[in-house]
């Protein structure tokens, strides 16, 4: 079991998941900025490393890092990690091609006839993840799924709406211009830091972040009141 508990620095690992997180983004993404601000406001240093998602998860599981972010709520991960309080939400749902006769709803029956693009290793939504007979195709990332949608290889892509808008803008020359939201977001998933149980002091790390986050929120609320 590894131990960073005696050090005044928290080591976290993440992935390139723009616009939330990314090595090449200003402040490494708005989620990274928030996490750094939360720690630094409370006088704590935080170190951020980037890995492909599967590797980030593996190294966090092994205790090579204190924690991993951003993560959705996942009952299976609770065996190896403990969750922080949520610090943000992620709107998720389906994208399609404009003008298509594809109209997904919030039920399995409404999507079972369609070819749906998912990303390997991602948590999606129960209507997708809990039905193994759906016509699902997996991609290495969201951009690949959007490209397949453009080429007519998919009817729907399940994706975070902020990620979709970012990718469509950033890759406008590569992607077709008629990709749209198929319906309102199915869910606003909460985002968390998960702290590895392999690290000595993981509960203290989690409790510390929760306390820091609450302090930071109070500070932000005070500043908003002053501006008003």
């Amino acid at each position: 079991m590894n131990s960073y508990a005696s050090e005044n620095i928290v080591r976290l690992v993440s992935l390139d998941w723009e616009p939330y997180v990314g090595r090449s983004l200003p402040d490494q993404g708005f989620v990274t900025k928030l996490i750094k601000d939360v720690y630094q406001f409370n006088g704590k240093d935080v170190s951020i490393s980037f890995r492909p998602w599967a590797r980030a998860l593996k190294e966090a599981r092994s205790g090579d890092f204190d924690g991993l972010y951003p993560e959705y709520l996942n009952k299976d991960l609770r065996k190896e990690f403990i969750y922080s309080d949520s610090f943000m939400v992620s709107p998720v749902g389906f994208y399609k091609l404009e003008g298509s006769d594809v109209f997904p709803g919030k039920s399995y029956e409404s999507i079972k006839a369609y070819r749906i693009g998912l990303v390997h290793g991602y948590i999606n939504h129960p209507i997708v993840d809990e039905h193994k007979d759906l016509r699902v195709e997996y991609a290495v990332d969201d951009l690949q799924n959007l490209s397949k949608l453009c080429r007519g290889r998919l009817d729907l892509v399940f994706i975070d709406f902020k990620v979709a808008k970012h990718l469509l803008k950033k890759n406008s020359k590569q992607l077709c211009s008629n990709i749209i939201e198929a319906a309102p977001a199915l869910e606003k998933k909460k985002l968390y830091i998960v702290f590895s149980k392999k690290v000595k002091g993981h509960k203290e790390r989690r409790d510390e972040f929760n306390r820091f986050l609450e302090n930071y929120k109070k500070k932000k609320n005070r500043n908003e009141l002053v501006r008003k």
Side-chain angles (χ1 to χ4, degrees):
M1 179 176 285
N2 294 326
S3 174
Y4 299 135
S6 62
E7 301 180 23
N8 195 43
I9 185 167
V10 178
R11 293 174 169 85
L12 301 178
V13 64
S14 189
L15 77 164
D16 287 303
W17 190 48
E18 299 183 4
Y20 291 91
V21 188
R23 279 170 286 195
S24 62
L25 293 173
D27 299 312
Q28 297 181 323
F30 57 82
V31 165
T32 301
K33 183 179 188 308
L34 172 63
I35 289 172
K36 285 183 176 180
D37 286 350
V38 166
Y39 276 111
Q40 290 169 3
F41 174 72
N42 289 275
K44 194 94 171 184
D45 290 327
V46 58
S47 169
I48 309 294
S49 298
F50 289 88
R51 304 282 192 273
W53 183 244
R55 183 180 167 192
L57 189 57
K58 179 181 178 181
E59 292 185 6
R61 276 194 178 110
S62 300
D64 294 338
F65 294 92
D66 290 318
L68 168 80
Y69 78 96
E71 182 57 87
Y72 294 150
L73 198 60
N74 180 349
K75 63 181 181 180
D76 292 331
L77 283 185
R78 289 191 180 278
K79 301 170 186 175
E80 300 162 296
F81 297 92
I82 57 172
Y83 276 74
S84 73
D85 290 341
S86 173
F87 54 81
M88 196 174 290
V89 296
S90 158
V92 296
F94 293 113
Y95 265 61
K96 69 172 188 175
L97 292 182
E98 187 176 16
S100 74
D101 57 356
V102 176
F103 299 103
K106 294 186 176 182
S107 69
Y108 161 74
E109 292 296 325
S110 72
I111 62 171
K112 67 179 183 179
Y114 302 134
R115 298 166 297 170
I116 301 170
L118 305 178
V119 176
H120 276 294
Y122 280 17
I123 299 167
N124 303 293
H125 187 276
I127 67 167
V128 175
D129 292 338
E130 293 179 3
H131 294 91
K132 304 305 180 184
D133 57 339
L134 287 173
R135 301 170 64 190
V136 169
E137 290 188 26
Y138 288 95
V140 296
D141 56 32
D142 290 303
L143 180 59
Q144 187 179 54
N145 269 335
L146 292 175
S147 297
K148 290 164 74 174
L149 183 63
C150 280
R151 298 196 301 272
R153 291 178 54 189
L154 297 171
D155 302 307
L156 293 169
V157 166
F158 190 89
I159 192 169
D160 174 280
F161 282 13
K162 292 180 182 177
V163 170
K165 290 180 174 67
H166 176 82
L167 290 174
L168 289 170
K169 182 178 180 180
K170 182 178 180 180
N171 301 279
S172 59
K173 293 182 180 180
Q174 175 184 344
L175 297 171
C176 53
S177 61
N178 59 330
I179 299 178
I180 61 170
E181 294 176 15
L186 285 174
E187 183 183 4
K188 290 185 177 179
K189 288 185 174 291
K190 293 181 178 180
L191 298 178
Y192 306 86
I193 300 176
V194 291
F195 291 89
S196 174
K197 291 182 179 180
K198 285 289 182 70
V199 177
K200 185 178 179 181
H202 58 273
K203 290 182 180 178
E204 289 80 3
R205 285 294 200 214
R206 188 273 310 276
D207 293 345
E208 178 184 67
F209 175 78
N210 290 347
R211 186 173 68 253
F212 287 177
L213 181 63
E214 185 62 26
N215 291 343
Y216 184 76
K217 287 178 179 177
K218 289 178 180 177
K219 170 218 173 186
K220 296 292 285 186
N221 288 338
R222 284 198 301 270
N223 289 344
E224 287 297 322
L225 288 172
V226 168
R227 284 198 289 270
K228 290 178 181 179

